[in-house]
Amino acid sequence: MAKPAPQSDPAQDAPVVSAPQHAAAGLPAVGHSLRMATEQMGARRTLATLRKVNQPDGFDCPGCAWPEPGKTHTAEFCENGAKAVAEEATERRIRAEFFAAHPVAELAERSGYWLGQQGRLTQPMLLDEGATHYTPIAWDDAFALIAEELRALDTPDGAAFYTSGRTSNEAAFAYQLFARRLGTNNLPDCSNMCHESSGSALTETLGVGKGSVSLKDLYQADLIIVAGQNPGTNHPRMLSALERAKRAGATVVSVNPLPEAGLERFKNPQNARGLAGHGTKLTDLFLQIRLGGDLALFRALNQLVLDADGGVDEEFVARHCHGFEEFAAEARQTRREEVLAATGLPWEQIEELGRLVLSSRKIIVCWAMGLTQHKHAVPTIREVVNFLLLRGNVGRPGAGVCPVRGHSNVQGDRTMGIFERPSAAFLDALGGEFGFEPPRAHGYDSVDTIRAMRDGRVKVFFAMGGNFVAATPDTEVTEAAMRRCRLTVHVSTKLNRSHVVTGARALILPTLGRTDRDVTASGAQFVSVEDSMGQVHSSRGGLRPPAPGLLSEVAIVCRLARAALGPRDDVPWEDFADDYDTLRDRIARVVPGFDGFNDKVRRPGGFTLPHGPRDSRTFPTATGLANFTVNPLTAPEVPPGRLLLQTLRSHDQYNTTIYGLDDRYRGITGGRRVVLVNPVDAAELGLTEGGYVDLVGEWKDGVERRAPHFKVVHYPVARGGAAAYYPETNVLVPLDSTADISNTPTSKAVLIRFEPDSGAS
């Protein structure tokens, strides 16, 4: 039997602190996975469900986008994948009686953890204007209400259509088609807040805004640099890939402001060495870099390569690259003092990494949000590309760029057209296929959507999944902006903070999840996803839906489109909702690489999308070549008495979904309001370990942004930096503090000071 949902809210409890761990996974991960799964699903449902995760005949994990190996294990999931599945496949239910018993004002006082623990949503709910409670509404009435609000807009750009990274390819394609038939490119998504900097830099330099490597490449690499990423918590199955790479002879270097247990040692629960032995040491060299110092590090490596006899792959550079001379001239002028100040690293350690680089023919650089959420994030990633181009490490087996994406189909959603700045080629293909002229003006990304709601330009906000309020920066500004809308709509499986911060009217539309069986009048349906390495495969849920009449995301989009666009709209929305093959046939004629979609996605393991730089060393850039770039060195200015804060996840968390209140690898249990500070910095600032403080953000607008009541934890963070969990610290991230070019919030570079605890909790 599953345990009932908690009625009290333990998320406000005081955290307990112990020493951080130095190894990840092993038996504790197995035990923790099974305990949390059985609490949510019960023993029988746990066994039936987990054996289908990431299997060719099963469903794609609703967690991260790490790819499946060619031959899957019986248990092809990680600890956090098991938690994600348990959250979705839970036996807990939220029915109309729950909303009748809890006014929205009361729910708004609950933590995100408590809201998520209440169970699956089961029926459409309406919060009417002036009402205090959500009440049930019929599906047709809900669609009619949304259509009414959309028709009342002065312009289609008065609506914004947000997408989380868990939406399937089929639903995402239908969703963007509906928005563009309506007349807007306002299609913000979670990529805007996470990996937009990667896409911007890679599109400019290589011509494709995606990674260029496969799992096979990882296994063939000589050197793998993992920068600004914590796979032990955020992409745990990556650890088994690194373990295999190590066994094949690869050297692994990790670059991060915090030591992370998953990159120190991995106890693989799939083998005896991991379960009963010491596991595998993963990191050969750890560079504990200062926040924001990565550009300077890669610049220094590039200088070392340029200065080394035979360091540059001159044939590759001459044949395939543009802008080398300008880049090289800038790189050669780099002063060692600049590098040391920005990185905080000893020069001897940088030279040691330089020697590894020069002795390695096949190099991969992996990164995540530790690189993407800085003001200079795009130049940093461009410098990473410079580093790889210098030695010909693009388009070579065992080498390339590896941005490790987050949610399980965030990359696929972008491929399907979820983008506020679509290419002319995509719009031409879409318009040609469906016989209309799509809007050409750029729409709003996530940050611009908040600004537009704040300023009254967006009045209808529609979210396909996710938890927009908790995921976005400047929490007070975001919540005030949401409340200015005429209507907010959320398609969701579980309750979250965004459902209780509403417009004048609000709708919750429950939907099928990855684990649920999807059957229409034409038969059982499946969907598809694209993983972090460009592999597209199918996903089929097998569980009975949590309530009769629950609709899939595809059906919700198609029924809304018909209601909003009217009977004269000639897109066959009803056919799409009934038979997803008809939708995939249209995708095949619009999206490059999806020809024969219905046939290829039915093959075991699916198919790999084409990637010119990887497949043939062809670069669809403005120059037709891979572009070297010139990226001036910058370093954040941190005045005395201040630290630079990075927001991060705990181990019992995936994005804004809080599975539990522990971060056992970092030694934090029973609470989340902690701030990790280097003991030397803490002594200089007078921060007593175990004491409580308020975190106060400082930015050029002079607005005070305060996160109260955080417990100080002395922790081996790089000097000058601090760390705390989001979404609790999103309130400190200014809305207008974004990365140049990509407009991604600078959540890894928040200037803070410490003040005495204000007593809030």
Side-chain angles (χ1 to χ4, degrees):
M1 283 289 291
K3 292 179 67 174
Q7 296 308 301
S8 61
D9 197 344
Q12 311 302 333
D13 291 350
V16 176
V17 180
S18 59
Q21 298 183 13
H22 299 282
L27 278 173
V30 175
H32 202 62
S33 301
L34 293 177
R35 179 179 64 79
M36 296 191 78
T38 53
E39 284 180 358
Q40 293 273 1
M41 297 188 287
R44 181 180 298 179
R45 191 177 178 92
T46 292
L47 293 174
T49 304
L50 291 183
R51 68 183 182 87
K52 289 290 188 179
V53 183
N54 295 324
Q55 299 297 334
D57 62 341
F59 62 91
D60 193 67
C61 176
C64 79
W66 190 254
E68 278 71 73
K71 183 178 181 182
T72 57
H73 291 282
T74 302
E76 190 58 57
F77 57 87
C78 65
E79 176 187 346
N80 277 353
K83 296 173 189 174
V85 170
E87 284 274 316
E88 181 175 288
T90 181
E91 292 186 325
R92 299 169 184 171
R93 301 288 181 263
I94 296 178
R95 299 183 173 86
E97 296 80 10
F98 172 89
F99 290 103
H102 298 285
V104 173
E106 177 201 317
L107 294 175
E109 297 299 317
R110 298 284 194 167
S111 70
Y113 170 68
W114 185 90
L115 293 172
Q117 290 295 304
Q118 301 309 302
R120 286 288 297 272
L121 296 160
T122 57
Q123 61 193 112
M125 303 298 297
L126 167 67
L127 180 68
D128 215 342
E129 190 163 8
T132 58
H133 292 69
Y134 276 101
T135 55
I137 184 173
W139 281 107
D140 285 343
D141 293 339
F143 295 134
L145 187 156
I146 302 168
E148 169 196 329
E149 290 283 0
L150 291 173
R151 293 193 192 104
L153 295 171
D154 296 331
T155 167
D157 290 327
F161 298 92
Y162 175 75
T163 316
S164 94
R166 202 167 67 177
T167 302
S168 69
N169 287 328
E170 291 76 10
F173 185 84
Y175 192 50
Q176 63 81 31
L177 174 62
F178 163 58
R180 293 184 168 115
R181 293 286 284 191
L182 191 69
T184 186
N185 282 317
N186 289 348
L187 286 157
D189 74 334
C190 55
S191 281
N192 300 146
M193 294 176 284
C194 300
H195 262 288
E196 199 67 60
S197 299
S198 299
S200 298
L202 295 176
T203 299
E204 178 185 355
T205 56
L206 302 180
V208 179
K210 302 180 181 182
S212 67
V213 303
S214 66
L215 280 178
K216 185 178 179 181
D217 289 314
L218 280 174
Y219 306 150
Q220 296 176 358
D222 298 323
L223 174 64
I224 301 170
I225 300 175
V226 183
Q229 185 196 359
N230 174 19
T233 285
N234 302 329
H235 314 90
R237 287 192 301 145
M238 181 179 175
L239 300 182
S240 59
L242 291 176
E243 180 185 50
R244 181 170 171 179
K246 288 277 292 186
R247 291 204 304 268
T251 298
V252 175
V253 174
S254 60
V255 181
N256 207 51
L258 284 77
E260 299 290 9
L263 283 170
E264 291 187 55
R265 186 171 295 276
F266 174 47
K267 295 185 176 182
N268 192 338
Q270 301 280 1
N271 59 50
R273 182 174 56 253
L275 285 175
H278 294 291
T280 302
K281 178 186 176 184
L282 292 184
T283 293
D284 298 287
L285 176 63
F286 172 44
L287 278 67
Q288 188 167 21
I289 198 165
R290 283 181 179 163
L291 278 169
D294 303 273
L295 194 160
L297 172 63
F298 281 97
R299 170 65 60 76
L301 294 175
N302 289 337
Q303 188 181 49
L304 291 172
V305 171
L306 287 166
D307 291 344
D309 186 26
V312 177
D313 186 333
E314 295 180 355
E315 180 182 357
F316 174 85
V317 169
R319 178 177 296 184
H320 297 291
C321 299
H322 172 269
F324 171 76
E325 294 300 335
E326 296 86 349
F327 150 75
E330 173 78 9
R332 288 189 172 108
Q333 294 175 13
T334 303
R335 293 185 297 111
R336 182 180 300 187
E337 294 78 14
E338 290 181 282
V339 172
L340 297 179
T343 64
L345 298 170
W347 184 253
E348 294 76 16
Q349 200 173 47
I350 296 174
E351 285 186 315
E352 183 179 358
L353 177 54
R355 287 191 292 271
L356 289 173
V357 169
L358 292 168
S359 65
S360 301
R361 183 172 182 272
K362 297 173 290 185
I363 302 175
I364 290 172
V365 181
C366 304
W367 70 87
M369 290 187 287
L371 264 60
T372 65
Q373 293 183 321
H374 292 271
K375 182 170 179 57
H376 56 282
V378 174
T380 296
I381 297 165
R382 291 192 306 216
E383 197 68 25
V384 170
V385 175
N386 289 341
F387 167 74
L388 291 167
L389 293 178
L390 270 179
R391 291 180 58 76
N393 281 306
V394 176
R396 172 185 292 162
V401 293
C402 185
V404 183
R405 305 300 299 269
H407 240 147
S408 60
N409 198 41
V410 62
Q411 187 160 295
D413 288 349
R414 181 59 58 89
T415 302
M416 291 295 108
I418 300 295
F419 192 31
E420 76 282 354
R421 292 175 285 121
S423 69
F426 178 86
L427 293 178
D428 289 344
L430 187 71
E433 176 64 25
F434 290 97
F436 78 113
E437 178 54 40
R440 300 282 169 164
H442 289 173
Y444 298 136
D445 64 12
S446 292
V447 168
D448 285 334
T449 294
I450 298 168
R451 293 169 178 154
M453 292 190 294
R454 176 197 63 193
D455 298 340
R457 288 176 282 125
V458 163
K459 299 176 181 178
V460 174
F461 177 84
F462 191 106
M464 183 63 66
N467 183 1
F468 188 80
V469 165
T472 45
D474 222 339
T475 307
E476 292 181 4
V477 173
T478 296
E479 293 191 356
M482 291 289 283
R483 290 188 170 107
R484 288 206 66 189
C485 290
R486 282 287 310 151
L487 175 67
T488 51
V489 185
H490 296 275
V491 179
S492 306
T493 58
K494 303 283 292 294
L495 195 63
N496 64 48
R497 177 72 181 167
S498 294
H499 301 129
V500 298
V501 179
T502 73
R505 292 198 286 182
L507 282 166
I508 300 173
L509 304 181
T511 189
L512 297 177
R514 290 274 177 85
T515 58
D516 298 324
R517 190 165 54 242
D518 185 359
V519 181
T520 67
S522 68
Q525 304 297 316
F526 69 89
V527 294
S528 64
V529 298
E530 177 186 345
D531 65 33
S532 194
M533 294 180 175
Q535 188 81 9
V536 179
H537 58 274
S538 63
S539 178
R540 297 172 176 82
L543 296 178
R544 178 184 298 174
L550 213 56
L551 300 181
S552 69
E553 290 181 333
V554 174
I556 289 172
V557 172
C558 292
R559 288 180 62 173
L560 172 59
R562 179 58 71 205
L565 301 174
R568 298 181 65 179
D569 185 79
D570 59 5
V571 174
W573 299 108
E574 291 80 6
D575 294 344
F576 291 168
D578 183 52
D579 184 352
Y580 301 172
D581 278 358
T582 65
L583 189 52
R584 282 187 283 268
D585 284 339
R586 309 299 282 269
I587 293 171
R589 296 198 286 268
V590 173
V591 183
F594 281 80
D595 52 293
F597 189 8
N598 268 311
D599 291 331
K600 291 191 294 188
V601 79
R602 284 175 162 84
R603 299 172 189 168
F607 62 99
T608 303
L609 292 175
H611 190 290
R614 177 196 65 210
D615 300 336
S616 58
R617 285 187 163 176
T618 56
F619 300 93
T621 63
T623 64
L625 298 167
N627 292 317
F628 280 98
T629 53
V630 175
N631 305 295
L633 285 188
T634 60
E637 294 184 9
V638 183
R642 275 68 175 163
L643 295 178
L644 207 61
L645 177 77
Q646 64 167 323
T647 71
L648 42 68
R649 298 173 183 164
S650 81
H651 191 63
D652 270 358
Q653 172 180 1
Y654 192 78
N655 291 345
T656 58
T657 303
I658 312 301
Y659 303 133
L661 302 178
D662 298 343
D663 191 358
R664 71 175 188 277
Y665 293 156
R666 298 190 181 110
I668 312 295
T669 58
R672 294 178 49 81
R673 299 187 78 84
V674 295
V675 57
L676 312 182
V677 183
N678 185 286
V680 178
D681 288 328
E684 291 179 355
L685 295 171
L687 300 176
T688 304
E689 183 161 28
Y692 280 83
V693 295
D694 289 358
L695 312 182
V696 183
E698 294 186 356
W699 202 58
K700 62 185 180 182
D701 61 3
V703 173
E704 180 183 283
R705 296 173 174 87
R706 183 178 296 268
H709 196 64
F710 276 71
K711 186 173 186 174
V712 175
V713 177
H714 290 185
Y715 200 85
V717 184
R719 288 291 312 277
Y725 305 131
Y726 70 83
E728 289 85 352
T729 50
N730 285 354
V731 67
L732 300 173
V733 184
L735 180 65
D736 295 325
S737 179
T738 59
D740 296 335
I741 302 172
S742 68
N743 207 32
T744 295
T746 58
S747 299
K748 296 295 184 285
V750 184
L751 186 66
I752 62 167
R753 69 176 187 268
F754 300 85
E755 291 189 356
D757 178 20
S758 62
S761 62

